Amino acid sequence: MQKLTIKRLITELVDIPIKRPHQFSAIKVSSKSFVLLRVELSNGVTGIGEGTTPGIFWNGESVETMKLVIDQYAAPFLLEENATHLETLLQKLNRQIRGNAFAKATIEMALLDALGKTYDVPVHQLLGGLHQEKIPVRWALASGTPEGDIEEAKNAVASGQYANFKTKSGKEAPDDDAKRSIRIAEGIKGHSSIGIDPNGSWDRMTTMKWMDDFFAAGIDFLEQPLPPHDIEGLARLAAMKKVPIMADESVASIQDAMRIAKTNAADIFSLKIHKAGGMKNTVKVAGIAEAAGIACFGGTSLESSIGTAACVHTYSSIPNLDYGSELFGPDWLADEIVKEPLVLKDGYIHVPVQAGLGVELDEEKVSLYRRKEQ
Ligand SMILES: [Mg+2]
């Protein structure tokens, strides 16, 4: 086979409106920004990748930094390289560029899409093969009031759209947050359940104080209650055996996964392909979890159908996704830049079967949402 080389990398920023404002611990957002990457190979195939973050508060990267890192620092190392030597390219990027996991994941996504299209196989086949054809999805309740969240959850369950939920916390004082979450959990008890995600904004004492009440309210899991660096605090919470403790911001790299596994600091890992630096690394993190008896949850950086497809291919290939996923990105955006957005139906997202990521750009929509000042 003739050498398959990387000929061009093109990036652009797009801003896509969302259906309703979303409250994180640190910010409220009303549109979502993405860096769209196209990688052209010498066989004429173009792969697409998407970089996005919950916000710069989450890990220090933004779509603007991703674009800069890809254009100025990664592209010169990738041009004319053999695209089939994926692991070699990723190792090279790691040596040349420290950190910037989200930017690296975007590059890997576009390369895997291009390779999948070249070999005419869906990306999950390049990651080891399929384990499940559809993945349960939790919806994030973030209406702003407990009453609104309870109503939203009950309506979603009644229509069969979603079965279970997550709530974002961290905007209020930790005690008020805890009370609000318990109120929502009690309001939907018997119909559904919630996991709580304060995005690292609580402290040890407050969290410990509420663990009995979280257990009594039937809360499914407590995700990243403490700041990312407080692994010892997470271990103490996990040792209480009240509500399963999920690590998210604390578990990005494979080294993080090993440290948390060794210190028994989590019962569940939230996987995310961008924070891990790509799909291959995410599979490795899931492998460490499997060896340590830790369950996995398919997390999201609130991707569009492009990034969500990458997540679905990855999560569907691992055996220990015991807590399902939160891959509701396509349902949260008011519009998309692909021709056929991924379908969320009856609380499940289905794995694309087409070659590559299985999504195709709608160029008119890309033009519509392209940022004027790049
Ligand atoms: Mg989280």
Side-chain angles (χ1 to χ4, degrees):
M1 186 176 161
Q2 208 179 0
K3 190 176 163 189
L4 188 61
T5 55
I6 299 170
K7 301 310 280 185
R8 212 148 73 111
L9 290 90
I10 306 162
T11 59
E12 54 193 323
L13 300 179
V14 292
D15 302 301
I16 303 178
I18 59 176
K19 285 177 185 165
R20 62 153 163 76
H22 192 78
Q23 181 69 60
F24 288 94
S25 63
I27 56 162
K28 194 170 193 175
V29 298
S30 56
S31 72
K32 193 78 202 299
S33 301
F34 301 87
V35 58
L36 173 64
L37 169 65
R38 301 173 209 235
V39 173
E40 295 175 11
L41 303 186
S42 54
N43 61 353
V45 169
T46 297
I48 54 172
E50 167 189 286
T52 191
T53 81
I56 197 166
F57 74 92
W58 207 90
N59 78 314
E61 288 182 76
S62 68
V63 292
E64 294 83 6
T65 68
M66 281 184 250
K67 186 176 189 312
L68 179 91
V69 167
I70 294 169
D71 290 348
Q72 290 201 21
Y73 299 100
F77 293 116
L78 295 170
L79 290 173
E80 300 303 328
E81 292 290 332
N82 189 334
T84 66
H85 293 186
L86 183 64
E87 187 62 38
T88 306
L89 295 179
L90 298 176
Q91 296 293 337
K92 189 173 178 182
L93 279 179
N94 281 337
R95 276 199 309 279
Q96 303 290 353
I97 303 169
R98 184 168 176 182
N100 292 282
F102 282 57
K104 290 171 182 169
T106 305
I107 295 166
E108 189 214 43
M109 194 187 302
L111 284 170
L112 279 168
D113 183 43
L115 291 171
K117 286 170 177 165
T118 297
Y119 301 138
D120 197 25
V121 292
V123 165
H124 59 255
Q125 292 296 343
L126 302 176
L127 296 170
L130 201 62
H131 180 67
Q132 52 184 341
E133 291 175 346
K134 59 178 186 174
I135 298 172
V137 179
R138 277 175 190 263
W139 176 251
L141 302 168
S143 72
T145 67
E147 294 73 25
D149 286 353
I150 292 166
E151 191 188 337
E152 189 177 347
K154 284 185 173 171
N155 288 341
V157 172
S159 69
Q161 195 183 6
Y162 293 101
N164 295 297
F165 305 92
K166 248 180 71 167
T167 63
K168 284 288 178 184
S169 300
K171 185 177 163 247
E172 303 162 45
D175 275 327
D176 295 334
D177 255 347
K179 284 180 206 163
R180 184 176 56 84
S181 300
I182 289 166
R183 203 162 146 207
I184 297 167
E186 287 173 342
I188 62 172
K189 212 170 184 179
H191 302 270
S192 180
S193 62
I194 57 163
I196 310 173
D197 183 5
N199 282 113
S201 63
W202 290 359
D203 58 85
R204 290 188 190 184
M205 286 307 293
T206 308
T207 313
M208 284 181 186
K209 190 173 74 185
W210 288 102
M211 290 296 269
D212 281 329
D213 296 287
F214 292 155
F215 173 73
I219 284 166
D220 279 338
F221 57 79
L222 182 56
E223 176 177 346
Q224 197 68 46
L226 308 179
H229 57 80
D230 193 3
I231 305 301
E232 192 189 330
L234 286 182
R236 288 193 188 190
L237 294 174
M240 293 174 78
K241 302 290 173 208
K242 294 291 179 187
V243 175
I245 299 297
M246 183 186 292
D248 185 5
E249 285 90 331
S250 290
V251 59
S253 65
I254 52 176
Q255 292 79 10
D256 290 341
M258 194 66 192
R259 190 164 69 241
I260 292 177
K262 272 185 177 169
T263 51
N264 301 310
D267 304 294
I268 313 165
F269 283 169
S270 173
L271 307 175
K272 281 179 184 162
I273 57 173
H274 283 97
K275 73 175 176 181
M279 293 182 248
K280 290 189 69 179
N281 279 347
T282 303
V283 173
K284 292 179 191 175
V285 168
I288 293 169
E290 185 184 358
I294 293 170
C296 287
F297 175 64
T300 181
S301 298
L302 294 168
E303 296 92 348
S304 81
S305 281
I306 302 168
T308 301
C311 296
V312 179
H313 285 293
T314 308
Y315 301 159
S316 66
S317 75
I318 66 170
N320 51 333
L321 198 78
D322 305 319
Y323 276 77
S325 79
E326 56 176 353
L327 293 177
F328 60 82
D331 201 15
W332 179 71
L333 293 168
D335 204 355
E336 290 261 20
I337 56 171
V338 295
K339 288 181 179 165
E340 298 273 340
L342 295 191
V343 179
L344 282 107
K345 197 164 171 280
D346 303 329
Y348 287 86
I349 190 158
H350 292 255
V351 183
V353 294
Q354 302 92 329
L357 291 174
V359 287
E360 194 184 343
L361 285 176
D362 179 333
E363 296 295 348
E364 281 184 18
K365 292 286 180 68
V366 175
S367 296
L368 180 63
Y369 296 120
R370 183 176 291 128
R371 193 178 290 184
K372 300 287 177 285
E373 304 266 327
Q374 291 278 328

